PDB file of all heavy atoms in Angstrom:
ATOM      1  N   CYS A 319      37.270 -21.365 -68.164  1.00  0.00           N
ATOM      2  CA  CYS A 319      38.292 -20.623 -68.898  1.00  0.00           C
ATOM      3  C   CYS A 319      37.779 -19.250 -69.306  1.00  0.00           C
ATOM      4  O   CYS A 319      36.612 -19.106 -69.690  1.00  0.00           O
ATOM      5  CB  CYS A 319      38.720 -21.398 -70.144  1.00  0.00           C
ATOM      6  SG  CYS A 319      39.747 -22.852 -69.814  1.00  0.00           S
ATOM      7  N   LEU A 320      38.656 -18.278 -69.230  1.00  0.00           N
ATOM      8  CA  LEU A 320      38.373 -16.912 -69.665  1.00  0.00           C
ATOM      9  C   LEU A 320      39.394 -16.565 -70.730  1.00  0.00           C
ATOM     10  O   LEU A 320      40.612 -16.636 -70.497  1.00  0.00           O
ATOM     11  CB  LEU A 320      38.480 -15.972 -68.470  1.00  0.00           C
ATOM     12  CG  LEU A 320      38.181 -14.481 -68.711  1.00  0.00           C
ATOM     13  CD1 LEU A 320      36.744 -14.289 -69.193  1.00  0.00           C
ATOM     14  CD2 LEU A 320      38.416 -13.688 -67.416  1.00  0.00           C
ATOM     15  N   LEU A 321      38.929 -16.195 -71.946  1.00  0.00           N
ATOM     16  CA  LEU A 321      39.810 -15.914 -73.076  1.00  0.00           C
ATOM     17  C   LEU A 321      39.812 -14.419 -73.377  1.00  0.00           C
ATOM     18  O   LEU A 321      38.742 -13.803 -73.472  1.00  0.00           O
ATOM     19  CB  LEU A 321      39.337 -16.672 -74.324  1.00  0.00           C
ATOM     20  CG  LEU A 321      39.164 -18.189 -74.198  1.00  0.00           C
ATOM     21  CD1 LEU A 321      38.673 -18.775 -75.518  1.00  0.00           C
ATOM     22  CD2 LEU A 321      40.462 -18.850 -73.782  1.00  0.00           C
ATOM     23  N   PHE A 322      40.988 -13.849 -73.564  1.00  0.00           N
ATOM     24  CA  PHE A 322      41.082 -12.423 -73.873  1.00  0.00           C
ATOM     25  C   PHE A 322      42.321 -12.132 -74.705  1.00  0.00           C
ATOM     26  O   PHE A 322      43.260 -12.940 -74.766  1.00  0.00           O
ATOM     27  CB  PHE A 322      41.078 -11.576 -72.590  1.00  0.00           C
ATOM     28  CG  PHE A 322      42.282 -11.781 -71.697  1.00  0.00           C
ATOM     29  CD1 PHE A 322      43.344 -10.886 -71.726  1.00  0.00           C
ATOM     30  CD2 PHE A 322      42.344 -12.849 -70.806  1.00  0.00           C
ATOM     31  CE1 PHE A 322      44.454 -11.055 -70.902  1.00  0.00           C
ATOM     32  CE2 PHE A 322      43.439 -13.022 -69.982  1.00  0.00           C
ATOM     33  CZ  PHE A 322      44.498 -12.129 -70.023  1.00  0.00           C
ATOM     34  N   ASP A 323      42.310 -10.978 -75.335  1.00  0.00           N
ATOM     35  CA  ASP A 323      43.427 -10.505 -76.152  1.00  0.00           C
ATOM     36  C   ASP A 323      44.252  -9.548 -75.302  1.00  0.00           C
ATOM     37  O   ASP A 323      43.833  -8.419 -75.032  1.00  0.00           O
ATOM     38  CB  ASP A 323      42.887  -9.803 -77.402  1.00  0.00           C
ATOM     39  CG  ASP A 323      43.996  -9.356 -78.356  1.00  0.00           C
ATOM     40  OD1 ASP A 323      45.160  -9.311 -77.932  1.00  0.00           O
ATOM     41  OD2 ASP A 323      43.681  -9.034 -79.515  1.00  0.00           O
ATOM     42  N   ASP A 324      45.442  -9.984 -74.891  1.00  0.00           N
ATOM     43  CA  ASP A 324      46.223  -9.153 -73.967  1.00  0.00           C
ATOM     44  C   ASP A 324      46.987  -8.039 -74.682  1.00  0.00           C
ATOM     45  O   ASP A 324      47.724  -7.290 -74.034  1.00  0.00           O
ATOM     46  CB  ASP A 324      47.170 -10.002 -73.114  1.00  0.00           C
ATOM     47  CG  ASP A 324      48.365 -10.532 -73.895  1.00  0.00           C
ATOM     48  OD1 ASP A 324      48.207 -10.813 -75.104  1.00  0.00           O
ATOM     49  OD2 ASP A 324      49.455 -10.676 -73.306  1.00  0.00           O
ATOM     50  N   SER A 325      46.827  -7.895 -76.034  1.00  0.00           N
ATOM     51  CA  SER A 325      47.393  -6.720 -76.692  1.00  0.00           C
ATOM     52  C   SER A 325      46.543  -5.486 -76.425  1.00  0.00           C
ATOM     53  O   SER A 325      46.970  -4.364 -76.704  1.00  0.00           O
ATOM     54  CB  SER A 325      47.528  -6.956 -78.204  1.00  0.00           C
ATOM     55  OG  SER A 325      46.267  -7.057 -78.833  1.00  0.00           O
ATOM     56  N   PHE A 326      45.334  -5.683 -75.885  1.00  0.00           N
ATOM     57  CA  PHE A 326      44.529  -4.565 -75.384  1.00  0.00           C
ATOM     58  C   PHE A 326      45.066  -4.136 -74.018  1.00  0.00           C
ATOM     59  O   PHE A 326      45.633  -4.947 -73.273  1.00  0.00           O
ATOM     60  CB  PHE A 326      43.067  -4.976 -75.246  1.00  0.00           C
ATOM     61  CG  PHE A 326      42.296  -5.010 -76.535  1.00  0.00           C
ATOM     62  CD1 PHE A 326      42.411  -6.079 -77.409  1.00  0.00           C
ATOM     63  CD2 PHE A 326      41.446  -3.961 -76.879  1.00  0.00           C
ATOM     64  CE1 PHE A 326      41.702  -6.109 -78.596  1.00  0.00           C
ATOM     65  CE2 PHE A 326      40.730  -3.981 -78.064  1.00  0.00           C
ATOM     66  CZ  PHE A 326      40.859  -5.059 -78.927  1.00  0.00           C
ATOM     67  N   LEU A 327      44.888  -2.873 -73.694  1.00  0.00           N
ATOM     68  CA  LEU A 327      45.271  -2.387 -72.375  1.00  0.00           C
ATOM     69  C   LEU A 327      44.495  -3.171 -71.325  1.00  0.00           C
ATOM     70  O   LEU A 327      43.267  -3.260 -71.381  1.00  0.00           O
ATOM     71  CB  LEU A 327      44.961  -0.895 -72.264  1.00  0.00           C
ATOM     72  CG  LEU A 327      45.474  -0.173 -71.022  1.00  0.00           C
ATOM     73  CD1 LEU A 327      46.998  -0.154 -71.002  1.00  0.00           C
ATOM     74  CD2 LEU A 327      44.926   1.258 -70.972  1.00  0.00           C
ATOM     75  N   HIS A 328      45.201  -3.769 -70.371  1.00  0.00           N
ATOM     76  CA  HIS A 328      44.513  -4.603 -69.390  1.00  0.00           C
ATOM     77  C   HIS A 328      45.185  -4.528 -68.024  1.00  0.00           C
ATOM     78  O   HIS A 328      46.354  -4.155 -67.901  1.00  0.00           O
ATOM     79  CB  HIS A 328      44.439  -6.058 -69.859  1.00  0.00           C
ATOM     80  CG  HIS A 328      45.788  -6.718 -70.017  1.00  0.00           C
ATOM     81  ND1 HIS A 328      46.628  -6.466 -71.074  1.00  0.00           N
ATOM     82  CD2 HIS A 328      46.420  -7.652 -69.242  1.00  0.00           C
ATOM     83  CE1 HIS A 328      47.725  -7.193 -70.964  1.00  0.00           C
ATOM     84  NE2 HIS A 328      47.630  -7.917 -69.844  1.00  0.00           N
ATOM     85  N   THR A 329      44.415  -4.885 -67.029  1.00  0.00           N
ATOM     86  CA  THR A 329      44.886  -4.901 -65.646  1.00  0.00           C
ATOM     87  C   THR A 329      44.126  -5.974 -64.884  1.00  0.00           C
ATOM     88  O   THR A 329      43.119  -6.500 -65.362  1.00  0.00           O
ATOM     89  CB  THR A 329      44.681  -3.532 -64.967  1.00  0.00           C
ATOM     90  OG1 THR A 329      45.194  -3.579 -63.635  1.00  0.00           O
ATOM     91  CG2 THR A 329      43.200  -3.169 -64.906  1.00  0.00           C
ATOM     92  N   ALA A 330      44.624  -6.318 -63.719  1.00  0.00           N
ATOM     93  CA  ALA A 330      43.942  -7.273 -62.842  1.00  0.00           C
ATOM     94  C   ALA A 330      44.197  -6.860 -61.406  1.00  0.00           C
ATOM     95  O   ALA A 330      45.230  -6.251 -61.094  1.00  0.00           O
ATOM     96  CB  ALA A 330      44.458  -8.699 -63.092  1.00  0.00           C
ATOM     97  N   PHE A 331      43.241  -7.183 -60.532  1.00  0.00           N
ATOM     98  CA  PHE A 331      43.434  -6.838 -59.120  1.00  0.00           C
ATOM     99  C   PHE A 331      42.657  -7.807 -58.232  1.00  0.00           C
ATOM    100  O   PHE A 331      41.727  -8.486 -58.662  1.00  0.00           O
ATOM    101  CB  PHE A 331      43.017  -5.388 -58.842  1.00  0.00           C
ATOM    102  CG  PHE A 331      41.625  -5.046 -59.305  1.00  0.00           C
ATOM    103  CD1 PHE A 331      40.513  -5.293 -58.512  1.00  0.00           C
ATOM    104  CD2 PHE A 331      41.419  -4.450 -60.544  1.00  0.00           C
ATOM    105  CE1 PHE A 331      39.233  -4.965 -58.920  1.00  0.00           C
ATOM    106  CE2 PHE A 331      40.147  -4.120 -60.970  1.00  0.00           C
ATOM    107  CZ  PHE A 331      39.050  -4.374 -60.170  1.00  0.00           C
ATOM    108  N   HIS A 332      43.113  -7.853 -56.984  1.00  0.00           N
ATOM    109  CA  HIS A 332      42.498  -8.704 -55.958  1.00  0.00           C
ATOM    110  C   HIS A 332      42.232  -7.804 -54.754  1.00  0.00           C
ATOM    111  O   HIS A 332      43.138  -7.445 -54.016  1.00  0.00           O
ATOM    112  CB  HIS A 332      43.458  -9.835 -55.605  1.00  0.00           C
ATOM    113  CG  HIS A 332      42.922 -10.820 -54.613  1.00  0.00           C
ATOM    114  ND1 HIS A 332      41.723 -10.662 -53.946  1.00  0.00           N
ATOM    115  CD2 HIS A 332      43.434 -12.008 -54.164  1.00  0.00           C
ATOM    116  CE1 HIS A 332      41.528 -11.689 -53.139  1.00  0.00           C
ATOM    117  NE2 HIS A 332      42.555 -12.520 -53.264  1.00  0.00           N
ATOM    118  N   GLU A 333      40.960  -7.458 -54.566  1.00  0.00           N
ATOM    119  CA  GLU A 333      40.588  -6.567 -53.472  1.00  0.00           C
ATOM    120  C   GLU A 333      39.983  -7.320 -52.295  1.00  0.00           C
ATOM    121  O   GLU A 333      39.414  -6.697 -51.397  1.00  0.00           O
ATOM    122  CB  GLU A 333      39.587  -5.508 -53.981  1.00  0.00           C
ATOM    123  CG  GLU A 333      40.199  -4.543 -54.996  1.00  0.00           C
ATOM    124  CD  GLU A 333      39.206  -3.502 -55.465  1.00  0.00           C
ATOM    125  OE1 GLU A 333      37.986  -3.756 -55.375  1.00  0.00           O
ATOM    126  OE2 GLU A 333      39.644  -2.425 -55.928  1.00  0.00           O
ATOM    127  N   GLY A 334      40.123  -8.627 -52.298  1.00  0.00           N
ATOM    128  CA  GLY A 334      39.591  -9.416 -51.194  1.00  0.00           C
ATOM    129  C   GLY A 334      40.440  -9.295 -49.943  1.00  0.00           C
ATOM    130  O   GLY A 334      41.498  -8.662 -49.928  1.00  0.00           O
ATOM    131  N   SER A 335      39.975  -9.927 -48.864  1.00  0.00           N
ATOM    132  CA  SER A 335      40.683  -9.896 -47.585  1.00  0.00           C
ATOM    133  C   SER A 335      41.675 -11.051 -47.504  1.00  0.00           C
ATOM    134  O   SER A 335      41.665 -11.970 -48.334  1.00  0.00           O
ATOM    135  CB  SER A 335      39.684 -10.003 -46.434  1.00  0.00           C
ATOM    136  OG  SER A 335      39.003 -11.253 -46.498  1.00  0.00           O
ATOM    137  N   ALA A 336      42.519 -10.994 -46.482  1.00  0.00           N
ATOM    138  CA  ALA A 336      43.512 -12.046 -46.298  1.00  0.00           C
ATOM    139  C   ALA A 336      42.856 -13.405 -46.093  1.00  0.00           C
ATOM    140  O   ALA A 336      43.408 -14.454 -46.469  1.00  0.00           O
ATOM    141  CB  ALA A 336      44.417 -11.701 -45.123  1.00  0.00           C
TER     142      ALA A 336
END
Side-chain angles (χ1 to χ4, degrees):
C319 287
L320 182 61
L321 305 179
F322 65 99
D323 184 344
D324 73 327
S325 67
F326 282 79
L327 188 65
H328 63 284
T329 182
F331 53 85
H332 183 353
E333 294 181 337
S335 63

